[in-house]
Each structure stands twice: as C-alpha cells, then as structure tokens.
C-alpha cells in the first residue's frame, strides 16, 4: 500500500508515457499450478548459460560490422543474464530497422512507447533495438539474425538512405 501511495502519478511523468494496456489488475494473485510445474522443471542455470552463449554469439558477429554497435561493447559481467541483445543502429536507424524487420527478424524498439523530454532517450527510442537471445535459439538461428542485421545495416549510408 505504501509503494502505491508513493508511486508517481501520470502528471508526474512526461505526458503520453503511461499506457493503459500495461496495468496490473490482479496484484498478489497466486501462480497457477502449470506455471509452478514449469518453474520446477526448468533449469535456471542451463537457461542462463544458453542465453549468455546466444548473447556472446551475436556480439561476436557484430564486432566489426558497419553501421551498428553493441550497446554494451565491453560485454556483460559474468553474473548478468541477458533478456535481449541491445544493438545501436548508427546509420539511418529508421530505414535500417525497417530493413531488418522486412527480413523477418523479431527486432523491437521503444519508438511507439517511449516519449520523453530527454533527447538521449528519444534518440535511443529509434536507434536502440532489441534482438532475441532466447535460450532455445540454435546457432543457425543466431547466424541468420546476425547476417540479416549486418547486411541491412551495411546497405545504409552514414547520412541516411539505402546505398544500393
């Protein structure tokens, strides 16, 4: 109750930031038996190791690629388990993002949700994309993602537009 009382109201945040689709209408609801079973049968260590391996594989593909840069160029600390691979699009981010999506890559960014008075946040809303590094991705999946992203980014001119 105290956390709810201390939470900022919509007027405390930048206008348009809150989205009514993201509500927690049932706080405190117990986990279902199916979810409990899945949690009991899942190896979190295996999942963490596979996510790290996927992240590292993508990172290796992108080290010398033109037009893109890993958001964390020095990699992750040993205790971190990634949810996604964050990647900065350096040249014409909107066109690069559309080219990546057109190749069927499940890349996402916060351009529709994130609005801010902060110019850096607004820049990242367009230039920072999230790529999957799910534990079930195979080497072939990661190679396909990396190839599609690097070839899409390489086609862009530094000042915008397709270099074809």
């Amino acid at each position: 109750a105290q956390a709810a009382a201390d939470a900022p109201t919509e007027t405390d945040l930048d206008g348009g930031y809150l989205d009514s689709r993201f509500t927690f209408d049932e706080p405190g609801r117990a986990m279902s038996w199916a979810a409990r079973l899945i949690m009991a049968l899942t190896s979190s260590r295996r999942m963490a190791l596979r996510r790290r391996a996927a992240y590292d594989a993508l990172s290796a593909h992108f080290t010398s690629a033109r037009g893109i840069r890993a958001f964390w160029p020095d990699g992750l600390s040993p205790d971190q388990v990634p949810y996604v691979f964050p990647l900065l699009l350096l040249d014409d981010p909107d066109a690069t993002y559309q080219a990546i999506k057109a190749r069927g890559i499940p890349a996402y960014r916060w351009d529709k949700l994130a609005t801010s008075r902060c110019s850096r946040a607004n820049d990242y809303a367009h230039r920072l994309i999230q790529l999957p590094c799910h534990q079930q991705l195979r080497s072939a999946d990661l190679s396909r993602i990396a190839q599609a992203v690097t070839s899409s980014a390489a086609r862009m001119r530094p000042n915008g537009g397709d270099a074809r």
Side-chain angles (χ1 to χ4, degrees):
Q2 186 60 45
D6 293 340
T9 63
E10 185 171 355
T11 57
D12 295 334
L13 301 172
D14 292 336
Y17 183 77
L18 294 179
D19 187 325
S20 63
R21 292 176 298 167
F22 302 104
T23 60
F24 298 100
D25 56 352
E26 297 185 48
R29 183 174 176 182
M31 190 183 302
S32 71
W33 69 268
R36 284 193 306 274
L37 179 63
I38 290 169
M39 291 294 293
L41 297 175
T42 300
S43 166
S44 58
R45 184 177 186 287
R46 177 186 166 276
M47 184 173 59
L49 290 172
R50 298 232 10 188
R51 281 186 172 272
R52 276 303 293 249
Y55 185 98
D56 291 343
L58 289 174
S59 184
H61 280 289
F62 298 143
T63 11
S64 60
R66 184 184 163 282
I68 55 177
R69 179 175 65 78
F71 189 74
W72 307 112
D74 297 330
L76 302 175
S77 68
D79 61 334
Q80 291 177 311
V81 179
Y83 176 65
V84 294
F85 185 95
L87 186 73
L88 283 171
L89 306 178
L90 305 177
D91 303 328
D92 200 348
D94 292 328
T96 304
Y97 177 67
Q98 293 309 320
I100 292 167
K101 295 291 285 180
R103 291 172 179 249
I105 302 304
Y108 300 95
R109 63 182 185 178
W110 294 98
D111 58 327
K112 301 285 190 271
L113 185 60
T115 58
S116 175
R117 291 183 295 252
C118 174
S119 62
R120 173 75 50 109
N122 288 328
D123 181 48
Y124 281 163
H126 288 271
R127 290 191 326 121
L128 182 61
I129 65 170
Q130 302 173 57
L131 297 172
C133 63
H134 191 270
Q135 64 272 10
Q136 294 304 109
L137 290 172
R138 300 169 308 202
S139 293
D141 300 324
L142 296 166
S143 294
R144 180 177 166 268
I145 291 168
Q147 190 279 329
V149 170
T150 54
S151 62
S152 295
R155 289 182 19 211
M156 298 302 149
R157 291 189 182 125
N159 294 330
D162 195 325
R164 279 189 286 169

